[in-house]
Amino acid sequence: MPDTIYSRNNIPIRLTDTQWFHIVEGHEELIGMRDEVHAAVGEAQMILEGHRGALLAVKAQGIGKWLVVVYRELGVNGFIITAFLTSKENFLRRRRILWP
């Protein structure tokens, strides 16, 4: 059953069990962080422009580390594509800030 969280644009964003398995399969450091992934979308400190219309919700995870959740909004709903942790601040700085 999919979980749903509302983005900063008040769009319901879903995360299915299948997609969550895909995410943690490639990013084992996120095992046990499903709630944090939801919070990153709903309480993003920054939203960056991604590729091909994707959005990147960014939320700090301690000093010098960020959780990035890649998702897409499709009008009245959306879905999470992937998520990862990064300490590469230059990765974030290269992106265009969409919010705030």
Side-chain angles (χ1 to χ4, degrees):
M1 178 168 213
D3 295 327
T4 302
I5 189 75
Y6 284 82
S7 71
R8 288 285 187 179
N9 291 327
N10 204 32
I11 303 293
I13 306 297
R14 70 184 180 280
L15 175 59
T16 64
D17 290 338
T18 301
Q19 191 61 22
W20 178 246
F21 177 76
H22 170 74
I23 290 168
V24 297
E25 187 176 50
H27 302 281
E28 292 179 357
E29 69 276 11
L30 295 179
I31 292 173
M33 293 183 65
R34 192 168 181 153
D35 289 342
E36 288 85 348
V37 168
H38 283 137
V41 173
E43 303 165 9
Q45 294 169 302
M46 182 173 22
I47 299 176
L48 306 174
E49 184 175 51
H51 296 292
R52 298 184 202 141
L55 302 170
L56 282 68
V58 180
K59 189 162 187 202
Q61 297 292 301
I63 298 172
K65 189 178 260 187
W66 296 272
L67 174 59
V68 179
V69 180
V70 181
Y71 68 102
R72 190 173 304 270
E73 292 181 351
L74 301 171
V76 297
N77 60 36
F79 57 93
I80 292 176
I81 299 167
T82 193
F84 57 92
L85 291 169
T86 187
S87 58
K88 298 177 181 175
E89 193 171 338
N90 64 343
F91 168 80
L92 302 174
R93 289 184 185 194
R94 290 186 312 214
R95 306 283 177 168
R96 185 166 72 108
I97 297 173
L98 301 176
W99 186 89

